[in-house]
C-alpha cells in the first residue's frame, strides 16, 4: 500500500523523502533536504535530523512536542546563494503548519544550508 510523502510533494514516501530517511541517499538539493527534514519531524526521526545538521550548529538532541500533528509544508522560495569557504550554500524559505495541544501554529522561517563533501546540511535560521 502506497503512503503519500508528508513533505507535500505528489509522490509516495518511499520514492520521495523515504530515500533519504530510510536508505541514506543524500538529498540532491537544499530544498530536498528541507523537505526530508520536515518529514523527519513528522516521523520524529531524531537521528536523521541530527545527521543532517551542520556540526558547528548541531544540538545534542531534538525534542518533539508530545501529540504534535504536522499539517503541511509550503516552500516559499529556494535560492542557491553561492560559495562560502569553497562550499555551495543555499537558502530555503518555508512555512510549516503544526497543531500542538489543540492549537494551530505556523513556523515561517528562512533556513541556511551548506553542501559539505557532497551532502547538504542544515545550518541555522536566518
Amino acid at each position: 500500500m502506497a503512503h503519500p510523502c508528508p513533505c507535500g510533494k505528489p509522490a509516495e514516501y518511499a520514492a520521495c523523502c523515504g530515500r533519504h530517511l530510510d536508505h541514506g541517499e543524500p538529498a540532491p538539493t537544499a530544498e530536498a533536504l528541507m523537505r526530508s527534514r520536515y518529514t523527519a519531524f513528522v516521523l520524529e526521526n531524531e537521528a536523521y535530523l541530527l545527521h543532517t545538521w551542520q556540526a558547528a550548529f548541531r544540538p545534542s538532541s531534538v525534542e518533539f512536542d508530545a501529540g504534535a500533528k504536522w499539517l503541511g509544508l509550503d516552500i516559499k522560495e529556494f535560492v542557491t546563494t553561492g560559495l562560502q569557504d569553497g562550499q555551495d550554500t543555499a537558502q530555503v524559505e518555508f512555512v510549516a503548519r503544526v497543531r500542538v495541544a489543540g492549537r494551530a501554529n505556523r513556523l515561517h522561517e528562512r533556513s541556511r544550508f551548506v553542501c559539505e563533501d557532497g551532502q547538504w546540511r542544515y545550518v541555522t535560521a536566518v
Side-chain angles (χ1 to χ4, degrees):
M1 181 160 128
H3 297 283
C5 193
C7 81
K9 288 190 100 173
E12 231 180 89
Y13 168 78
C16 193
C17 293
R19 303 177 311 176
H20 313 301
L21 277 82
D22 299 340
H23 303 291
E25 183 180 315
T29 65
E31 179 184 356
L33 181 61
M34 179 65 244
R35 289 183 178 282
S36 68
R37 285 177 56 84
Y38 171 83
T39 298
F41 272 102
V42 171
L43 301 175
E44 297 187 357
N45 185 331
E46 180 185 34
Y48 183 80
L49 290 166
L50 293 173
H51 174 73
T52 58
W53 221 305
Q54 187 184 40
F57 296 92
R58 182 182 304 135
S60 58
S61 64
V62 177
E63 291 187 27
F64 300 100
D65 291 318
K69 174 148 177 59
W70 291 91
L71 305 171
L73 174 69
D74 183 21
I75 302 292
K76 298 291 190 186
E77 183 179 40
F78 164 59
V79 250
T80 302
T81 53
L83 289 174
Q84 180 179 338
D85 299 325
Q87 297 173 319
D88 289 325
T89 60
Q91 289 187 8
V92 179
E93 180 182 3
F94 69 92
V95 174
R97 294 176 295 112
V98 62
R99 184 179 346 232
V100 179
R103 294 193 56 157
N105 298 289
R106 279 176 91 241
L107 171 62
H108 186 176
E109 181 177 300
R110 180 175 288 275
S111 299
R112 294 183 324 145
F113 295 85
V114 64
C115 189
E116 299 175 324
D117 300 321
Q119 291 201 351
W120 284 99
R121 305 260 187 231
Y122 171 75
V123 180
T124 61
V126 175

